Coordinates of all heavy atoms in Angstrom, one line a residue:
F271 N -48.5 49.0 32.2 CA -47.1 48.6 32.3 C -47.0 47.2 32.9 O -45.8 46.7 33.0 CB -46.3 49.6 33.1 CG -46.4 51.0 32.5 CD1 -46.8 52.1 33.2 CD2 -46.1 51.2 31.1 CE1 -46.9 53.4 32.7 CE2 -46.2 52.5 30.6 CZ -46.6 53.6 31.3
A272 N -48.1 46.5 33.3 CA -48.0 45.2 33.8 C -49.0 44.3 33.1 O -49.0 43.0 33.3 CB -48.3 45.1 35.3
G273 N -49.9 44.8 32.4 CA -50.9 44.1 31.6 C -52.0 43.4 32.4 O -52.6 42.4 31.9
L274 N -52.2 43.9 33.6 CA -53.3 43.2 34.4 C -54.7 43.6 33.8 O -54.9 44.7 33.4 CB -53.2 43.7 35.9 CG -52.3 42.8 36.8 CD1 -50.9 42.8 36.3 CD2 -52.4 43.4 38.2
R275 N -55.6 42.6 33.9 CA -56.9 42.8 33.5 C -57.6 43.8 34.5 O -57.2 43.8 35.7 CB -57.7 41.5 33.4 CG -57.1 40.5 32.4 CD -57.9 39.2 32.5 NE -57.5 38.3 31.5 CZ -56.5 37.4 31.7 NH1 -55.9 37.3 32.8 NH2 -56.2 36.5 30.7
S276 N -58.7 44.5 34.1 CA -59.4 45.4 35.0 C -59.9 44.6 36.2 O -59.8 45.1 37.3 CB -60.5 46.0 34.2 OG -60.1 46.8 33.2
A277 N -60.5 43.4 36.0 CA -61.0 42.6 37.1 C -59.9 42.2 38.1 O -60.2 42.1 39.3 CB -61.7 41.4 36.5
E278 N -58.7 41.9 37.5 CA -57.6 41.6 38.4 C -57.2 42.7 39.2 O -56.8 42.6 40.4 CB -56.5 41.0 37.6 CG -56.8 39.7 36.9 CD -55.8 39.3 35.8 OE1 -55.0 40.1 35.4 OE2 -55.8 38.1 35.5
I279 N -57.2 43.9 38.6 CA -56.8 45.1 39.4 C -57.7 45.4 40.5 O -57.4 45.8 41.6 CB -56.7 46.3 38.4 CG1 -55.6 46.1 37.4 CG2 -56.4 47.6 39.2 CD1 -55.5 47.1 36.3
E280 N -59.0 45.2 40.2 CA -60.1 45.5 41.2 C -59.9 44.6 42.5 O -60.2 45.0 43.6 CB -61.4 45.2 40.6 CG -62.0 46.4 39.8 CD -63.4 46.1 39.4 OE1 -64.3 46.5 40.2 OE2 -63.7 45.6 38.3
R281 N -59.4 43.3 42.2 CA -59.2 42.4 43.3 C -57.9 42.5 44.0 O -57.6 41.8 45.0 CB -59.4 41.0 42.8 CG -60.8 40.7 42.2 CD -60.9 39.3 41.6 NE -62.1 39.1 40.7 CZ -62.1 38.5 39.6 NH1 -61.0 38.0 39.0 NH2 -63.2 38.4 38.9
L282 N -57.0 43.2 43.4 CA -55.6 43.2 43.9 C -55.4 44.1 45.1 O -56.0 45.1 45.3 CB -54.7 43.8 42.8 CG -53.2 43.4 42.8 CD1 -53.0 42.0 42.6 CD2 -52.4 44.2 41.8
N283 N -54.5 43.6 46.1 CA -54.2 44.3 47.3 C -52.8 44.9 47.2 O -51.9 44.4 46.4 CB -54.3 43.4 48.5 CG -55.7 43.0 48.8 OD1 -56.6 43.8 49.0 ND2 -55.9 41.7 48.9
W284 N -52.5 45.9 47.9 CA -51.1 46.5 47.9 C -50.1 45.5 48.4 O -49.0 45.5 48.0 CB -51.1 47.8 48.8 CG -51.7 49.0 48.1 CD1 -52.9 49.6 48.4 CD2 -51.1 49.7 47.0 NE1 -53.1 50.6 47.5 CE2 -52.0 50.7 46.7 CE3 -49.9 49.5 46.3 CZ2 -51.7 51.6 45.6 CZ3 -49.7 50.4 45.2 CH2 -50.6 51.4 44.9
Q285 N -50.6 44.6 49.3 CA -49.6 43.5 49.8 C -49.2 42.6 48.7 O -48.2 41.9 48.8 CB -50.3 42.7 50.9 CG -50.6 43.5 52.2 CD -52.0 44.1 52.1 OE1 -52.4 44.7 51.1 NE2 -52.8 44.0 53.2
D286 N -49.9 42.6 47.5 CA -49.5 41.7 46.4 C -48.5 42.3 45.6 O -47.9 41.6 44.7 CB -50.8 41.4 45.5 CG -51.9 40.7 46.3 OD1 -51.6 39.8 47.1 OD2 -53.1 41.0 46.1
V287 N -48.2 43.6 45.8 CA -47.2 44.3 45.0 C -45.9 44.5 45.8 O -45.9 45.1 46.8 CB -47.7 45.7 44.6 CG1 -46.6 46.4 43.7 CG2 -49.0 45.6 43.8
D288 N -44.8 43.8 45.4 CA -43.5 43.9 46.0 C -42.6 44.7 45.2 O -42.0 44.2 44.2 CB -43.0 42.4 46.3 CG -41.8 42.4 47.2 OD1 -41.1 43.4 47.3 OD2 -41.6 41.3 47.8
L289 N -42.4 45.9 45.6 CA -41.5 46.8 44.8 C -40.0 46.5 45.1 O -39.2 46.8 44.2 CB -41.8 48.3 45.1 CG -43.2 48.8 44.7 CD1 -43.4 50.3 45.1 CD2 -43.4 48.6 43.2
T290 N -39.7 45.9 46.2 CA -38.3 45.5 46.5 C -37.9 44.3 45.6 O -36.8 44.3 45.0 CB -38.2 45.1 47.9 OG1 -38.6 46.2 48.7 CG2 -36.7 44.8 48.3
A291 N -38.7 43.3 45.6 CA -38.4 42.1 44.8 C -38.8 42.3 43.3 O -38.5 41.5 42.4 CB -39.2 40.9 45.3
R292 N -39.5 43.4 43.0 CA -40.0 43.8 41.7 C -40.9 42.7 41.0 O -40.6 42.3 39.9 CB -38.8 44.0 40.8 CG -37.9 45.3 41.1 CD -38.8 46.5 40.8 NE -38.0 47.7 41.0 CZ -37.3 48.3 40.0 NH1 -37.4 47.8 38.8 NH2 -36.6 49.4 40.2

Side-chain angles (χ1 to χ4, degrees):
F271 304 125
L274 269 62
R275 299 177 176 90
S276 296
E278 293 170 341
I279 296 172
E280 283 189 83
R281 300 175 191 138
L282 201 67
N283 292 305
W284 282 108
Q285 295 90 316
D286 300 320
V287 180
D288 191 333
L289 294 181
T290 302
R292 290 293 186 91

